[in-house]
Amino acid sequence: RFARHAALGLKAPPRAEPMLTPNHVVIAAKAVLFVGAASAVTLMLGPFQGLEEAFGLSDKAAHALAFGGLTAMAFLAFPKMRRNDLAIAAILLGASAEIAQLFAHRSASFTDFAADVAGISVVYLASHIEAVRRDARERGAMRFSDIAAQRQRRRRRKSSVVMPAAGPTESETAHGSFASRAAARFPREA
C-alpha cells in the first residue's frame, strides 16, 4: 500500500490511533444519565400521565425500563463508585419520585415503586454476571464463601501499611541515639 512511499525513500505515514477511550464513554454516559433523569422526572411529575401507552407500554413496564436504564447509565457514568451505592441511590430516587407525585397531584403507588425496584434489580444483577464468569474460570471449584474470604484477605493485605520497627536504627546504635548525642553536645546548666 505504501510501496510508492518506500520507493521515494519516504516513511509511511503514522497510523491514526482510535479516538474513542473509556473516558469518552463515561462522559457520554453522564450526559445520557442527566438527560434521562431530567426526562424521567418531567414525565413522572408533569401532566403526561398515560404517555407510556403511546409506546405500547404499561405503566409498570415504563417504570421498570426507566429506572433500569437510569441505573445502567449510572453504572457507566460513575465507574469508581460501588454498584451497591448506585443501586441504593436509584431506589431512593424511585421512592422520592413516588412521594413527590403525591404533591404534584398525581397518583403515587407502591406498585410503581416495586416496578422501579424490579428494573434496578435486573440491571444490578446483570452487572454481576462478568464477576461470576471470572470466578467460574479462575476458582470454579471454590465455594462463594471461600472466594469472599479470599478477597477479604487480599483487601486487608493491600490496605495494610508496613511500618518500620520502633527500635533504633543502625546509625543510632553506632553513634548513640539522637537524644544522647544532643545531651552530650548541649549539657544542661544547673
Side-chain angles (χ1 to χ4, degrees):
R1 174 175 172 176
F2 298 108
R4 196 168 12 145
H5 284 78
L8 296 172
L10 300 173
K11 291 182 184 177
R15 292 184 115 190
E17 292 293 321
M19 299 293 292
L20 188 64
T21 66
N23 286 338
H24 290 114
V25 174
V26 168
I27 291 168
K30 284 180 181 177
V32 170
L33 178 63
F34 177 76
V35 170
S39 299
V41 167
T42 302
L43 290 172
M44 282 191 274
L45 299 179
F48 305 105
Q49 200 158 6
L51 184 63
E52 65 276 352
E53 293 170 3
F55 297 101
L57 297 172
S58 69
D59 181 44
K60 307 310 175 242
H63 275 266
L65 285 173
F67 278 87
L70 289 175
T71 303
M73 285 299 111
F75 287 174
L76 278 175
F78 301 105
K80 293 181 181 179
M81 290 185 71
R82 296 182 333 168
R83 287 178 288 202
N84 294 352
D85 295 340
L86 293 170
I88 289 170
I91 289 170
L92 291 174
L93 178 66
S96 300
E98 291 305 316
I99 291 169
Q101 284 181 356
L102 291 173
F103 298 107
H105 306 292
R106 299 275 306 258
S107 61
S109 75
F110 181 75
T111 55
D112 284 351
F113 175 68
D116 298 344
V117 172
I120 293 165
S121 299
V122 166
V123 171
Y124 177 77
L125 293 173
S127 72
H128 287 282
I129 289 174
E130 187 54 37
V132 172
R133 287 173 43 86
R134 183 190 62 239
D135 288 341
R137 284 191 307 270
E138 297 172 1
R139 301 177 192 95
M142 291 177 71
R143 295 184 314 228
F144 280 115
S145 59
D146 295 336
I147 294 170
Q150 190 179 53
R151 285 188 182 134
Q152 197 72 15
R153 284 193 302 271
R154 189 173 294 144
R155 265 190 229 114
R156 259 188 264 130
R157 211 175 318 133
K158 282 184 181 180
S159 66
S160 67
V161 177
V162 179
M163 299 295 288
T169 62
E170 287 181 31
S171 64
E172 288 176 342
T173 54
H175 303 292
S177 70
F178 175 78
S180 63
R181 290 192 318 264
R185 182 168 176 128
F186 304 104
R188 288 186 171 193
E189 295 180 25

